[in-house]
Amino acid sequence: GAGVSQTPSNKVTEKGKYVELRCDPISGHTALYWYRQSLGQGPEFLIYFQGTGAADDSGLPNDRFFAVRPEGSVSTLKIQRTERGDSAVYLCASSPGAGLNGETQYFGPGTRLLVL
Amino acid sequence: AQTVTQSQPEMSVQEAETVTLSCTYDTSENNYYLFWYKQPPSRQMILVIRQEAYKQQNATENRFSVNFQKAAKSFSLKISDSQLGDTAMYFCAFRLTGANSKLTFGKGITLSVRP
């Protein structure tokens, strides 16, 4: 596609449930990032993939959060035993990873997660 | 660690006028990039402008320009001829050069353009 896409657009779940959020990066982009944006705040880094591997997962808040990118394209963010504090917009971004515009990250529209 | 500070929570400007959004940052590194992103109510984070720290010349993109003061660690965004479509949240962001460089964002500023 032309841009980064994320599904679902909105997700409502109950406390304790498991959720998966999907990100489809721009074709050919090797770098993929997940961020979390709480209400009224700027996005905060969660995890970064270069290809298939997680190069930096230092932003994941705890072991309930996990992300994969098995084929180096689509990525899934997985949250186990959701808590109300997990409610936020989850943003995905991708970048070419090299070249003149390699440093610019292009964002998807985000998934708004609400944990009841 | 890097930090980005946007101290103005809200600003308002009359259509067709000029407005400046402030941003300061803190880092001990010498090579980095700075960005301004726009986030309308649709949530889509849109790149407005970027600045490479090694460049002394301020970046410009049509009605948008920056005032980059490296020594002062200041990176303000000027929007000329403001349009109603400029109404959005604006985030200042920082990243180091090289691989594995996450973006660090400020808290953002809500800009309202009045007709």
Side-chain angles (χ1 to χ4, degrees):
Chain A
V4 179
S5 61
Q6 292 186 245
T7 54
S9 178
N10 295 281
K11 176 70 176 178
V12 181
T13 190
E14 293 180 344
K15 180 175 178 295
K17 299 289 189 182
Y18 168 84
V19 296
E20 289 190 352
L21 312 179
R22 175 189 166 109
C23 172
D24 211 327
I26 294 172
S27 179
H29 281 194
T30 59
L32 185 147
Y33 303 79
W34 284 98
Y35 294 85
R36 180 167 71 172
Q37 185 176 20
S38 300
L39 191 64
Q41 301 294 317
E44 293 180 324
F45 169 76
L46 293 176
I47 187 170
Y48 156 68
F49 287 89
Q50 181 58 46
T52 61
D56 181 3
D57 64 358
S58 62
L60 294 178
N62 51 60
D63 61 6
R64 296 186 297 105
F65 288 74
F66 188 70
V68 295
R69 195 186 184 197
E71 297 179 358
S73 179
V74 171
S75 176
T76 304
L77 178 65
K78 309 180 181 193
I79 310 173
Q80 298 178 322
R81 304 183 304 280
T82 52
E83 299 177 356
R84 294 193 180 88
D86 298 335
S87 297
V89 174
Y90 290 81
L91 295 168
C92 177
S94 70
S95 71
L100 180 63
N101 290 317
E103 311 290 349
T104 297
Q105 295 180 23
Y106 300 88
F107 283 80
T111 294
R112 183 182 300 279
L113 175 66
L114 177 61
V115 182
L116 300 176
Chain B
Q2 284 65 235
T3 60
V4 177
T5 302
Q6 293 179 256
S7 55
Q8 307 155 303
E10 298 181 2
M11 286 196 76
S12 179
V13 63
Q14 192 75 32
E15 192 176 9
E17 294 188 346
T18 295
V19 64
T20 298
L21 311 183
S22 301
C23 172
T24 58
Y25 59 94
D26 191 24
T27 183
S28 58
E29 302 291 334
N30 195 47
N31 296 315
Y32 49 87
Y33 293 86
L34 294 162
F35 303 85
W36 278 97
Y37 279 90
K38 169 185 177 181
Q39 188 177 43
S42 66
R43 295 200 308 250
Q44 183 85 46
M45 196 75 79
I46 302 164
L47 178 67
V48 175
I49 199 165
R50 68 177 238 170
Q51 174 80 41
E52 291 86 350
Y54 66 85
K55 289 186 177 178
Q56 292 188 335
Q57 186 174 7
N58 288 323
T60 63
E61 287 287 341
N62 300 314
R63 297 184 295 108
F64 300 89
S65 62
V66 299
N67 183 4
F68 173 48
Q69 301 289 329
K70 191 172 184 180
K73 296 180 182 174
S74 170
F75 183 62
S76 60
L77 174 70
K78 185 171 82 171
I79 306 174
S80 304
D81 186 25
S82 297
Q83 300 177 0
L84 296 179
D86 295 334
T87 293
M89 280 206 75
Y90 287 80
F91 291 93
C92 179
F94 170 104
R95 71 168 284 180
L96 297 173
T97 58
N100 190 16
S101 292
K102 63 194 177 194
L103 283 167
T104 299
F105 286 88
K107 287 190 173 182
I109 178 171
T110 301
L111 176 67
S112 300
V113 180
R114 305 186 305 274

